[in-house]
Amino acid sequence: WRDLLTPAIGFATNGWMVRPHVASMFSLNEAAYGRQPYSAKLGLTPDGIALYLRSDGTPKRIGDPVCNPDLAETLGTIARHGVEDFYTGSIAERIVADMRAHGGLLSAADLADFRVRVHAPLEVTYRGRRVTLPPPPAGGIVVAEMLRILERFDLQALGHNSVGYIQVVAEAMKIAGLDKETHIGDPDFVPPPLAMLLSDDYADACAARIRAGERTSLPRVGGDSKHTTTVSCVDARGMVVSLTHTLGVPSGVIPPGTGFMLNGAMNWYDPRPGRPGSIAPGKRRFSSMTPTLVFEDATPVMTLGAPGGAWIGVAVLQTLLNVLDWGMTMQEAVSAPRFSATTDVIDISNRIPRAVQREVEALG
């Protein structure tokens, strides 16, 4: 069902050929939405075929051994010479050589010019707590805006996962989602109006629209990843971490002898020209990843994050609401059934009663 809701931008092989018996695995749905199946990507290069496919060309299954000495050597090289080897050393040379051999897009300058950039987090208050989230081009602005809007409602009076609760929270999701599509991209290219989006006046106006029964239309243009990992932890000294990492959408391209696959997350850019998320040289793309910390005064009391592409923000939001509005434990908050409005379609967990679903449907 996820693919039915997620049209994606096509994947270009840039000269790497897909073997015919792998290409034949395309399903009608995958062809219709312009996205190659993982089986095709695994067989895109000779290294991928050797690592991840069986002798009959089908992907290895759970229990099949995968031996990747090239990756072990790559990690050893980084351990011996530092991470700069990836950007300017022998690993970079392998990547660039493979790009040149197949008409790829990455250059030596692209790798050498890469820099990690550190930014101050976004901060909003919600029910008296300070919530810190990653700024654009990460997805913290979406969660921050939803919290600002929903603080204007007595959610407990509506009832957890009731019809009224779903109606209010889903509209907040769509408003924040549309604002992300309209305003948020790489801040170096399009300065985001964060002060406006997080202002009291704007939150009041959005809450008024919801109370008036207005509906926000949120067409879907982005892609999603099912292969994101999030880690939230506290160590013995009280240091708190929230980390989200993603494989994104892998390209299928394994530079010979490296053992790793380059990502293909260009499909997360907006395919429409002239928008904040449109693709451009040197531009960072929006990421839904939203590792989050919650503080009471200066003390961190909560660390969380989520996988799931466009579903990350709505999952983090509902976990926050479950703890801060409903008094759930973290286990209860994560386990509680959720709903999602990342498009005009509202996805409802099948653990929410069907009677509630039918009432939501009756509201249109």
Side-chain angles (χ1 to χ4, degrees):
W1 62 270
R2 180 189 294 254
D3 285 340
L4 292 174
L5 296 174
T6 313
I9 304 169
F11 169 78
T13 60
N14 290 326
W16 287 274
M17 298 304 294
V18 181
R19 294 202 300 177
H21 69 271
V22 176
S24 67
M25 297 176 187
F26 278 77
S27 70
L28 178 61
N29 185 59
E30 286 157 342
Y33 284 94
R35 174 180 289 178
Q36 281 195 336
Y38 278 82
S39 55
K41 294 182 180 183
L42 294 177
L44 192 62
T45 65
D47 290 50
I49 293 169
L51 282 169
Y52 300 121
L53 299 187
R54 291 176 157 189
S55 58
D56 63 357
T58 61
K60 289 183 177 180
R61 300 172 185 172
I62 293 175
D64 288 347
V66 176
C67 184
N68 193 344
D70 289 340
L71 180 58
E73 179 58 31
T74 292
L75 296 174
T77 297
I78 292 173
R80 291 188 298 271
H81 303 295
V83 71
E84 282 307 312
D85 198 278
F86 184 93
Y87 299 103
T88 58
S90 62
I91 301 172
E93 291 173 358
R94 287 179 179 269
I95 296 172
V96 173
D98 195 38
M99 293 292 111
R100 288 172 177 164
H102 297 94
L105 300 177
L106 285 174
S107 68
D110 291 326
L111 294 171
D113 291 344
F114 176 80
R115 297 290 183 273
V116 172
R117 299 168 65 179
V118 179
H119 298 277
L122 294 177
E123 291 191 3
V124 296
T125 58
Y126 184 79
R127 311 298 191 204
R129 279 86 168 189
R130 181 164 54 96
V131 183
T132 61
L133 306 125
I141 181 59
V142 177
V143 176
E145 184 178 333
M146 291 188 291
L147 290 174
R148 295 287 287 148
I149 295 169
L150 294 173
E151 195 171 33
R152 273 79 183 149
F153 292 87
D154 183 354
L155 297 181
Q156 290 184 344
L158 296 173
H160 188 258
N161 284 352
S162 67
V163 174
Y165 185 79
I166 293 173
Q167 186 176 16
V168 167
V169 177
E171 281 304 312
M173 292 174 179
K174 291 196 291 177
I175 289 171
L178 183 61
D179 283 340
K180 184 268 291 184
E181 297 287 345
T182 304
H183 299 293
I184 306 300
D186 185 343
D188 291 346
F189 287 72
V190 182
L194 300 181
M196 182 277 288
L197 293 175
L198 299 179
S199 68
D200 287 335
D201 287 346
Y202 189 66
D204 290 342
C206 292
R209 287 163 49 193
I210 295 173
R211 290 192 179 96
E214 293 185 24
R215 302 283 176 86
T216 297
S217 179
L218 179 57
R220 187 64 179 281
V221 297
D224 296 289
S225 170
K226 306 175 186 177
H227 302 279
T228 298
T229 300
T230 192
V231 178
S232 297
C233 61
V234 183
D235 72 9
R237 295 180 293 175
M239 296 296 290
V240 181
V241 169
S242 181
L243 167 71
T244 306
H245 169 268
T246 188
L247 180 61
V249 180
S251 65
V253 176
I254 302 176
T258 64
F260 60 82
M261 188 179 292
L262 302 178
N263 82 49
M266 287 170 67
N267 83 321
W268 275 328
Y269 287 94
D270 192 321
R272 299 166 295 183
R275 301 177 67 88
S278 301
I279 194 166
K283 192 174 187 180
R284 295 173 292 169
R285 54 111 179 139
F286 174 82
S287 169
S288 298
M289 295 189 292
T290 311
T292 302
L293 300 178
V294 180
F295 294 81
E296 290 182 353
D297 297 323
T299 303
V301 295
M302 191 181 195
T303 170
L304 70 158
W311 285 266
I312 289 175
V314 298
V316 169
L317 171 74
Q318 286 172 92
T319 303
L320 288 168
L321 298 181
N322 288 344
V323 173
L324 302 180
D325 282 283
W326 299 99
M328 297 184 190
T329 66
M330 285 302 298
Q331 185 62 58
E332 291 170 337
V334 171
S335 301
R338 295 191 288 264
F339 55 91
S340 170
T342 59
T343 69
D344 287 332
V345 175
I346 299 177
D347 300 311
I348 297 180
S349 166
N350 61 11
R351 291 186 291 133
I352 293 175
R354 290 293 177 87
V356 172
Q357 175 187 326
R358 286 192 291 269
E359 287 192 54
V360 173
E361 292 172 344
L363 292 172

